């Protein structure tokens, strides 16, 4: 399984930087998990192949450029863009984003080929298919309805925490998988901001370490994501000081093969 955390910030020469302001993971060039930077960072080729987007929750950093992406592709979509999300999240997207005020309600619009956007409600704690992938969604502990994901293809299983603080069901789903190759987990704030991290339902390096005590798999790659750019250096230092085997920081723009 090939996964890239799409870049979301570019320097004055147009080169992607390592700061992550938005969240969008591209899997095997065709499925996106969240859509923060989807309209900014995909190549033209990738824009032609991504037709399935799983939205874990409706926070702006995860959906910022989703409306723009569908707008861009509007005339060329020969099949609808499929938005996979829980019914709750679909309701929030329709109410707050695709509401004719912030942006058009694409789910009601057609181009020459037919509908341009389609919602696919996803179940909780039950397998469903997205393109060639098999996915399980499980609620995590964030301040809006949010799911973590276990995603597998024929060879590999990868877990995505999405945005969360201490949680239980996610680990049950991860731990019951026969093997997990990689865990992409958030580490948003430095340890000095533990109080804010807790009220906004995010991890710090210290709370992430406690949380990883719930993981029963060994030897997997653990990649920290969702690191707030303002505290990036501190968070990376604090993560390194934990000396957790396999723990690293995911680099935006790099292709990871699991
Ligand atoms: Zn969030
Ligand atoms: Zn977020």
């Amino acid at each position: 399984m090939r996964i890239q955390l799409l870049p979301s910030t570019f320097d004055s020469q147009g080169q992607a930087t390592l700061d992550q302001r938005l969240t969008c993971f591209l899997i095997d060039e065709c499925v996106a998990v969240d859509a923060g930077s989807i309209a900014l960072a995909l190549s033209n080729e990738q824009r032609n192949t991504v037709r399935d987007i799983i939205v874990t929750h409706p926070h702006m950093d995860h959906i910022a450029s989703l409306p723009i992406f569908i707008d861009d592709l509007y005339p060329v979509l020969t099949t609808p863009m499929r938005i996979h999300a829980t019914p709750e999240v679909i309701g929030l997207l329709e109410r707050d984003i695709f509401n004719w005020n912030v942006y058009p309600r694409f789910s009601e619009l057609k181009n020459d080929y037919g509908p341009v956007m389609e919602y696919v409600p996803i179940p909780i704690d039950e397998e469903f298919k997205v393109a060639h992938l098999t996915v399980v969604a499980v609620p995590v502990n964030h301040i809006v309805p949010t799911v973590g994901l276990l995603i597998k293809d024929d060879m590999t299983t990868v877990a995505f925490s999405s945005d969360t603080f201490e949680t239980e069901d996610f680990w049950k789903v991860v731990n019951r998988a026969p093997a997990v190759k990689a865990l992409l987990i958030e580490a948003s704030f430095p340890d000095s901001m533990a109080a804010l991290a807790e009220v906004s339902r995010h991890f710090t390096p210290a709370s992430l370490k406690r949380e990883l005590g719930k993981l029963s798999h060994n030897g997997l790659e653990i990649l920290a994501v969702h690191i707030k750019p303002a505290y990036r250096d501190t968070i990376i230092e604090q993560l390194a000081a934990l000396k957790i085997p396999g723990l690293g920081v995911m680099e935006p723009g790099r292709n990871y093969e699991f």
Side-chain angles (χ1 to χ4, degrees):
M1 194 185 302
R2 171 190 283 220
I3 303 180
Q4 186 186 136
L5 170 58
L6 293 185
S8 52
T9 307
F10 303 87
D11 65 19
S12 58
Q13 268 75 50
Q15 294 296 309
T17 76
L18 294 178
D19 288 338
Q20 184 193 348
R21 295 190 164 77
L22 304 170
T23 294
C24 179
F25 299 99
L26 177 63
I27 305 179
D28 293 339
E29 310 293 308
C30 63
V31 174
V33 170
D34 288 326
S37 49
I38 195 164
L40 314 176
L42 288 185
S43 67
N44 281 336
E45 237 166 40
Q46 290 164 337
R47 294 150 79 85
N48 292 329
T49 53
V50 175
R51 292 295 177 268
D52 291 282
I53 303 169
I54 306 171
V55 177
T56 66
H57 69 299
H59 274 160
M60 190 56 91
D61 52 321
H62 298 252
I63 58 153
S65 70
L66 174 61
I68 311 301
F69 185 58
I70 296 164
D71 192 353
D72 278 352
L73 292 172
Y74 190 92
V76 299
L77 285 169
T78 54
T79 56
M81 190 66 67
R82 287 174 293 273
I83 310 296
H84 306 260
T86 61
E88 261 174 316
V89 169
I90 292 171
L92 294 169
L93 292 174
E94 285 285 276
R95 189 192 73 182
D96 298 336
I97 304 295
F98 298 107
N99 57 10
W100 295 115
N101 291 318
V102 174
Y103 231 57
R105 179 158 283 162
F106 286 119
S107 59
E108 293 177 0
L109 296 180
K110 291 179 180 176
N111 64 11
D112 293 346
Y113 305 100
V116 293
M117 181 173 116
E118 176 183 283
Y119 291 109
V120 185
I122 63 176
I124 291 297
D125 205 1
E126 217 175 86
E127 287 188 347
F128 58 95
K129 294 289 284 188
V130 177
H132 60 297
L133 303 170
T134 302
V135 184
V136 178
V138 54
V140 291
N141 178 15
H142 197 37
I143 45 177
V144 292
T146 303
V147 290
L149 302 168
L150 192 73
I151 300 186
K152 51 186 170 171
D153 63 12
D154 292 343
M155 314 268 292
T156 302
T157 301
V158 177
F160 296 73
S161 74
S162 190
D163 292 8
T164 187
F165 186 52
E166 294 167 358
T167 191
E168 300 303 329
D169 292 352
F170 176 71
W171 299 111
K172 286 182 198 154
V173 169
V174 170
N175 289 336
R176 82 180 174 215
V180 176
K181 201 77 183 284
L183 166 65
L184 278 44
I185 190 159
E186 73 127 289
S188 297
F189 289 106
D191 288 332
S192 61
M193 299 177 76
L196 177 62
E198 185 165 350
V199 294
S200 61
R201 301 284 200 274
H202 287 292
F203 287 126
T204 61
S207 59
L208 176 61
K209 181 178 185 186
R210 289 197 299 275
E211 192 71 7
L212 288 174
K214 300 174 184 172
L215 173 68
S216 62
H217 296 286
N218 290 316
L220 72 175
E221 192 162 354
I222 303 171
L223 291 171
V225 296
H226 207 274
I227 293 171
K228 298 269 182 199
Y231 320 110
R232 183 178 162 84
D233 292 345
T234 309
I235 295 169
I236 289 175
E237 260 171 43
Q238 292 174 346
L239 288 169
L242 299 175
K243 302 221 181 320
I244 293 173
L247 176 63
V249 172
M250 193 167 197
E251 278 179 38
R254 176 170 151 196
N255 281 315
Y256 290 79
E257 295 280 349
F258 298 115

